[in-house]
Amino acid sequence: MKKVSLIIPCFNEQDALPIFYVEVTKTMGSLKYNYELIFVNDGSKDSTLDVLRQLAAKDNRVTYLSFSRNFGKEAAMYAGFCNASGDYVAVMDADMQDPPSLLPEMLEILEKGNYDSVATRRVNRDREPFLRSWFAKQFYRIINRISDADIVDGARDFRLMRSEMVSAICTMGEYNRFSKGIFGWIGFKTYWMPYKNIERVAGETKWSFWKLLKYAIDGIINFSQVPLSIASWGGISMTLCAFFFLIAIIVRKLVFGDPVAGWASTICVIIFIGGIQLFCLGIMGQYIAKIYLESKRRPHYIVSETNRDNIDKVR
Ligand code: UDP
Ligand code: MG
């Protein structure tokens, strides 16, 4: 019998977990697959870890990894991927926004053998603040233009993959992780399954607008060098403009003998150019900061407690 590994990153999910567990075991129990549930406790401050210990005590298909602090969802997914042993591996949220009821259909699609992964895509952004959906749309438009990673608008992290694809993801050990980009970058054939967005069952979202904006900027910087060339092209065109202005002024002085007037406008131009220089330095700074973090080779996560002994505790 084939085995399915489900990876569930959990950050303060004490209320959602029991509901999730009941649902997911109901769905998986009705299918002809072995399965394991890998819960990754991402430094929760509530009693998520207690809930996980209880689940693991009564069900030996439950594995939990508890991080020594909050390392972020990306690190939690990475830990799950690197420790999953199934023929098929799925990542899902603990809050039921990624309904387990979709799993049978996803498995069926992979079984047919034409695809390597089935990913989900929300088709509506109802009840989401207007500004947030607008920014999200712009983000997808921009990143697809300027990077090689093919990133689908509305794609969720919820997806089921063949183990080959998961091994490929594990080889991408970069410190700055942006899964939506990584999934797109490694290629493989993906079937996109549309579904309606669902509200979470309990608890609240951990993504503030600013956290999302930062994530979006990280995504662009991790998967594109275009911002760097914007800086250089902007610089070149400004220099050319300034050069032509200079010639115009010299000609005007020689032909008409005008005295130089208007220091206010000069100051404006100086400030403007100064601003652009700082902006470009900032863009470069972003990339250098990434190189800095990458070069330290710090682990992605540190596991402080788990119920298995064959787990990569630091990676
Ligand atoms: N999550 C995590 N670490 C974090 C933030 C979130 O492991 O730092 C988990 C969270 O417990 C949930 C999933 O990632 O299972 C998605 O988070 P959330 O539901 O808050 O995001 P949303 O669905 O609103 O995008
Ligand atoms: Mg959610």
Side-chain angles (χ1 to χ4, degrees):
M1 217 160 26
K2 283 190 175 161
K3 184 173 173 187
V4 181
S5 303
L6 300 177
I7 299 166
I8 308 105
C10 311
F11 179 49
N12 298 343
E13 301 284 7
Q14 58 175 23
D15 302 320
L17 273 178
I19 309 175
F20 173 82
Y21 175 77
V22 170
E23 282 300 315
V24 83
T25 44
K26 205 160 67 186
T27 310
M28 290 311 295
S30 67
L31 299 172
K32 285 198 226 55
Y33 289 96
N34 279 330
Y35 68 96
E36 63 173 348
L37 302 172
I38 304 177
F39 292 96
V40 183
N41 173 29
D42 185 14
S44 301
K45 299 241 165 11
D46 63 359
S47 47
T48 299
L49 182 55
D50 293 327
V51 177
L52 291 179
R53 282 189 196 124
Q54 283 161 21
L55 291 179
K58 70 173 185 192
D59 185 345
N60 66 1
R61 287 166 305 199
V62 171
T63 298
Y64 69 86
L65 283 68
S66 185
F67 286 177
S68 58
R69 65 168 171 86
N70 178 264
F71 281 90
K73 187 184 177 186
E74 291 290 343
M77 291 198 288
Y78 186 60
F81 287 141
C82 300
N83 289 297
S85 59
D87 302 286
Y88 299 119
V89 179
V91 197
M92 38 200 327
D93 284 11
D95 57 11
M96 302 290 294
Q97 279 188 307
D98 301 335
S101 55
L102 291 181
L103 285 170
E105 197 186 333
M106 293 164 95
L107 281 163
E108 211 173 288
I109 294 172
L110 282 198
E111 280 295 341
K112 283 189 192 138
N114 295 329
Y115 291 98
D116 301 299
S117 88
V118 181
T120 55
R121 192 170 74 84
R122 313 193 269 183
V123 283
N124 62 335
R125 286 184 175 273
D126 298 358
R127 301 225 241 146
E128 200 182 50
F130 169 77
L131 206 62
R132 183 177 287 201
S133 356
W134 188 82
F135 269 105
K137 258 207 200 100
Q138 298 313 312
F139 165 70
Y140 286 110
R141 216 173 53 105
I142 294 175
I143 195 156
N144 277 318
R145 274 231 179 133
I146 65 177
S147 80
D148 328 320
D150 180 21
I151 299 171
V152 175
D153 184 6
R156 288 194 58 92
D157 289 331
F158 181 27
R159 56 166 73 214
L160 182 73
M161 290 169 276
R162 259 179 225 294
S163 56
E164 289 82 3
M165 193 163 164
V166 177
S167 321
I169 294 172
C170 286
T171 60
M172 295 188 64
E174 60 216 71
Y175 186 77
N176 298 286
R177 298 186 77 75
F178 180 67
S179 283
K180 287 185 169 65
I182 292 178
F183 293 146
W185 192 91
I186 55 172
F188 288 95
K189 280 218 279 202
T190 300
Y191 176 83
W192 286 99
M193 195 153 120
Y195 82 107
K196 279 240 162 78
N197 192 28
I198 306 166
E199 296 286 304
R200 54 160 50 239
V201 285
E204 53 191 44
T205 178
K206 280 92 203 172
W207 293 93
S208 65
F209 179 76
W210 291 110
K211 224 173 151 186
L212 275 176
L213 186 66
K214 197 177 157 286
Y215 187 63
I217 293 176
D218 270 356
I220 290 178
I221 290 181
N222 285 335
F223 278 91
S224 170
Q225 278 96 16
V226 170
L228 282 177
S229 32
I230 293 178
S232 14
W233 283 110
I236 290 172
S237 40
M238 297 278 296
T239 315
L240 282 178
C241 283
F243 181 70
F244 287 121
F245 280 140
L246 198 69
I247 291 184
I249 289 173
I250 291 172
V251 170
R252 196 170 73 170
K253 172 75 184 162
L254 291 181
V255 179
F256 304 104
D258 270 0
V260 178
W263 76 274
S265 49
T266 317
I267 295 293
C268 283
V269 171
I270 291 174
I271 292 177
F272 177 66
I273 295 180
I276 289 191
Q277 280 173 339
L278 282 182
F279 176 68
C280 295
L281 265 183
I283 293 180
M284 271 194 254
Q286 291 283 337
Y287 282 89
I288 294 173
K290 299 276 175 215
I291 299 171
Y292 177 60
L293 282 177
E294 220 53 80
S295 67
K296 287 193 196 183
R297 306 207 139 266
R298 284 186 178 163
H300 297 83
Y301 64 84
I302 299 168
V303 172
S304 61
E305 185 186 325
T306 169
N307 61 336
R308 297 268 186 267
D309 20 82
N310 54 344
I311 290 285
D312 271 341
K313 292 212 173 83
V314 178
R315 181 155 176 154

